[in-house]
Amino acid sequence: MKIRIGYELVYDCPQPTPMILTLSVHYTRISDLLIPDHLTTDPPVPLSAYRDSYGNWCSRIVAPRGLLRLSADALVKDSGQPDVVAWQARQIPVQELPDDTLLFLLGSRYCETDRLSEIAWQLFGQSPIGWGRVQAICDYVHGHLTFGYEHARHTKTAWEAFQEGTGVCRDYAHLAIAFCRCMNIPARYCTGYLGDIGMPPPYGPMDFSGWFEAYLDGQWYTFDARNNTPRIGRVLIARGRDAADVAISSTFGPNTLKSFMVRTDEVSG
């Protein structure tokens, strides 16, 4: 199948403002791009790019004073298959985990393992280890939180989401990640495109989506506590410890996001 993806973001800056943008499709999906997701700026500004410590492709610009429009319009091929489900995947003991997964056992900006550890063991200590435990965590988070954009807050942490019982997709992911780490399962945050392909209407407003990956049986598997069902057509942008590592824009000066549009549509033919 083919999926049209893209975005249009409009910022208003009262002065020239440096920005780091994490908007490019992840390198693991580059070979799937039929039309590349080149970042376009209006007005045109110089742009440079680099890979961050997690392998994400980031762009650097200095936004001029006034309005700046950032956009991309791409086409990606996809298998059309839902997320993999592997009930047999086992949990690996901490002492046997690869070195590069250990970072994803630790607390981070939005995932306070120290505050949630006792709660996690009370909730999931008797659940099946391995895939079943991660699924039990997703089931709990999916039922514990009530979704709503009115509950969005860019400073909200996993602990706060747990206490408030509300959130958006990033809050579902943060709470599930924190619980996984508390149960000695490496977990990392993912952001990207996820449309409503294969889902019945009504459809909500399109946005970038947050989910997570857990390390089981020697590989990373996709989990989604917000939707809590295998989905079709995920297109990864970035991975990190939590949302702080994969912000679509990190700005170094005053600015206002004036408009925001994300596109993810299946294309026939």
Side-chain angles (χ1 to χ4, degrees):
M1 68 187 307
K2 298 176 184 177
I3 305 172
R4 185 185 181 194
I5 58 173
Y7 56 83
E8 183 181 271
L9 315 176
V10 178
Y11 288 88
D12 188 4
C13 301
Q15 63 192 41
T17 303
M19 292 185 175
I20 298 173
L21 307 169
T22 308
L23 290 164
S24 299
V25 169
H26 198 259
Y27 72 88
T28 55
R29 296 299 303 269
I30 291 299
S31 62
D32 294 327
L33 286 173
L34 302 173
I35 299 175
D37 62 331
H38 293 316
L39 170 61
T40 300
T41 68
D42 182 19
V45 298
L47 181 152
S48 62
Y50 70 97
R51 290 212 183 282
D52 68 11
S53 57
Y54 301 100
N56 305 314
W57 192 245
C58 304
S59 301
R60 298 180 64 179
I61 64 170
V62 177
R65 179 180 179 182
L67 295 179
L68 173 69
R69 177 176 286 102
L70 308 173
S71 62
D73 190 5
L75 188 66
V76 61
K77 63 180 179 181
D78 190 82
S79 68
Q81 298 299 309
D83 301 325
V84 172
V85 176
W87 282 100
Q88 77 286 354
R90 66 184 182 92
Q91 181 172 337
I92 297 177
V94 172
Q95 64 271 23
E96 297 177 16
L97 286 168
D99 294 344
D100 60 1
T101 67
L102 297 178
L103 175 66
F104 300 104
L105 284 178
L106 307 178
S108 57
R109 165 70 178 86
Y110 291 107
C111 301
E112 310 103 313
T113 53
D114 54 343
R115 305 188 75 174
L116 288 162
S117 181
E118 184 176 350
I119 295 167
W121 280 98
Q122 290 173 355
L123 290 172
F124 310 112
Q126 301 303 313
S127 61
I129 62 172
W131 186 280
R133 180 162 286 179
V134 181
Q135 187 57 58
I137 289 170
C138 289
D139 291 344
Y140 176 85
V141 173
H142 181 77
H144 183 73
L145 299 186
T146 298
F147 183 88
Y149 288 107
E150 68 274 17
H151 306 307
R153 187 172 72 247
H154 75 276
T155 59
K156 184 183 285 190
T157 67
W159 170 256
E160 291 169 336
F162 174 75
Q163 293 291 315
E164 297 170 19
T166 59
V168 292
C169 59
R170 63 176 260 162
D171 302 309
Y172 285 74
H174 283 151
L175 184 54
I177 287 168
F179 280 149
C180 283
R181 293 175 182 172
C182 290
M183 304 306 294
N184 300 330
I185 301 170
R188 61 190 185 187
Y189 187 91
C190 300
T191 186
Y193 298 92
L194 177 62
D196 295 305
I197 298 169
M199 302 300 294
Y203 304 128
M206 188 58 207
D207 194 354
F208 292 116
S209 185
W211 61 89
F212 75 102
E213 294 174 343
Y215 190 81
L216 297 169
D217 221 3
Q219 67 183 87
W220 292 96
Y221 288 98
T222 295
F223 290 88
D224 186 341
R226 159 70 180 102
N227 294 293
N228 205 28
T229 188
R231 295 289 297 271
I232 296 170
R234 291 184 198 274
V235 181
L236 180 68
I237 291 176
R239 299 184 178 113
R241 292 168 299 177
D242 57 33
D245 291 331
V246 299
I248 60 171
S249 66
S250 298
T251 57
F252 302 89
N255 68 92
T256 302
L257 180 60
K258 302 287 286 186
S259 68
F260 177 91
M261 183 277 292
V262 178
R263 176 190 305 111
T264 308
D265 301 308
E266 183 179 1
V267 177
S268 60

